[in-house]
Amino acid sequence: MNRVRFRDPNGDVRTGSWDAAENRITASAGPGGRLSVSDDSYTPAEVDVLAPTDPSKIVCVGLNYRGHAKEQDKEIPDRPLLFLKGPNTVASHNQTVELLPDKERIDYEAELGVVIDTQCRNVAEADAMDVVRGFTCVDDISNRDDQRTEQNWVRGKAFDDAAPMGPLLASPDEVPDDATIELRVNGERRQHSSREEFIFSIPELVAEITAYMTLEPGDVISTGTPAGVGPLADGDRVAVEIEGIGTLSHSVTIP
């Protein structure tokens, strides 16, 4: 089932399911945990769809597609390249993201996000999917000006709203092993690939990351982007679509 977090017309943050065929969001519980009633159902336009999780951190993977490594003129890594984004970077479906001013290039990057279900450390590859709650869409927005000049990528990757995600959370069995990943800007396709093209699989990533740090419930692993990254311009509309999950949409503005 596709799960969604949203703010209802009364301003309460709720959870529920999103039926794409019916274009309806049905709440699983009311404010304060009360049972939902028959009218606790909305069209997506009637609510604010929130990021499907509230992570303590986002662990991002660099160069996890050979095509992206090639376009960046980088060698294929022999282990996952990792960096962090904080909770300040989380943005939601249909949000207008304000990019940093006075930058020559800020790029989009479509990614599959893995949401963690339980606190975990030192997880074996064979057990990795046991700690996964589900998958979502992520746009790893990247400030190339500063990324190229610093080693830890804080300015390049961790500025406010630099990780739009959503619109919902799909269970792993709903997302095919060869799920397509696509990004469009103003309706024009810019990235298109498949999770089959990962250099490091999701179990490998979970095992590597948890060898170094504890992951908390709701944390996100952003699994890397395929070839085709490119710059964003003021007013652009971005759509990240992953088979089995749906389409994350957001706009950007430059002050």
Side-chain angles (χ1 to χ4, degrees), residues 1-4 6 15-19 24-28:
M1 179 180 292
N2 290 328
R3 288 167 285 178
V4 62
F6 64 96
T15 60
S17 60
W18 187 335
D19 186 326
R24 299 294 296 181
I25 292 173
T26 301
S28 57

Side-chain angles (χ1 to χ4, degrees), residues 138-166:
V138 178
D139 185 4
D140 173 21
I141 301 176
S142 302
N143 159 25
R144 300 302 190 200
D145 291 32
D146 290 304
Q147 185 183 358
R148 293 189 181 109
T149 61
E150 64 180 7
Q151 293 184 342
N152 56 22
W153 295 359
V154 171
R155 297 174 184 84
K157 294 282 193 174
F159 54 94
D160 285 353
D161 298 334
M165 63 178 67

Side-chain angles (χ1 to χ4, degrees), residues 26-192:
T26 301
S28 57
R34 67 168 175 80
L35 293 176
S36 290
V37 295
S38 58
D39 62 352
D40 284 348
S41 177
Y42 311 91
T43 67
E46 292 176 307
V47 301
D48 294 325
V49 177
L50 305 175
T53 183
D54 187 16
S56 71
K57 56 188 170 295
I58 304 167
V59 186
C60 299
V61 183
L63 302 181
N64 201 26
Y65 289 77
R66 285 175 172 81
H68 180 52
K70 182 177 180 180
E71 74 178 356
Q72 297 292 312
D73 196 26
K74 302 289 186 181
E75 297 291 332
I76 300 299
D78 57 6
R79 65 174 183 169
L81 302 177
L82 305 178
F83 59 93
L84 293 173
K85 290 193 175 208
N88 65 296
T89 65
V90 175
S92 299
H93 178 64
N94 280 336
Q95 183 172 331
T96 297
V97 174
E98 186 175 290
L99 302 181
L100 296 168
D102 304 319
K103 301 297 179 184
E104 290 188 3
R105 180 162 172 166
I106 297 180
D107 284 2
Y108 54 78
E109 294 190 11
E111 308 203 4
L112 173 70
V114 178
V115 180
I116 298 300
D117 191 46
T118 185
Q119 186 184 76
C120 55
R121 177 78 196 276
N122 292 320
V123 179
E125 286 185 32
D127 301 323
M129 296 310 297
D130 293 340
V131 304
V132 172
R133 182 182 303 169
F135 298 148
T136 193
C137 304
V138 178
D139 185 4
D140 173 21
I141 301 176
S142 302
N143 159 25
R144 300 302 190 200
D145 291 32
D146 290 304
Q147 185 183 358
R148 293 189 181 109
T149 61
E150 64 180 7
Q151 293 184 342
N152 56 22
W153 295 359
V154 171
R155 297 174 184 84
K157 294 282 193 174
F159 54 94
D160 285 353
D161 298 334
M165 63 178 67
L168 45 78
L169 185 69
S171 60
D173 60 358
E174 294 174 308
V175 183
D177 291 340
D178 62 349
T180 56
I181 300 172
E182 180 172 300
L183 181 141
R184 300 181 296 276
V185 176
N186 303 325
E188 178 184 348
R189 190 168 79 179
R190 302 287 180 86
Q191 292 182 283
H192 183 79

